[in-house]
Amino acid sequence: MDPTAAVAALPDDAEICGCNGVNKGMIVAAITAQGLTTLDEVRGKTKASASCGQCTGKVELLLAATLGDKYDFRRPKADVQMHRPDP
């Protein structure tokens, strides 16, 4: 089974983040109700993946399952420009 489909098939009360006591339903509800689209946003609102990070992959899979094509985990988190000192 596809990993995204496997996480999507979990019941809403399935624990995703043991460190912070966050289940699948809490994460999906936050994504849909608050329009979250990034891992950092989910961390900020739910605390999932904010401690040890072991559940980060599952949280990303839930973002992908919930948002579909709107979620691109390869997208850079921020537009960072490198500045070189003048010679």
Side-chain angles (χ1 to χ4, degrees), residues 18-42:
C19 293
N20 295 306
V22 183
N23 65 34
K24 175 193 168 191
M26 297 162 83
I27 295 169
V28 171
I31 292 168
T32 55
Q34 299 177 39
L36 308 182
T37 61
T38 68
L39 177 60
D40 286 341
E41 289 173 342
V42 172

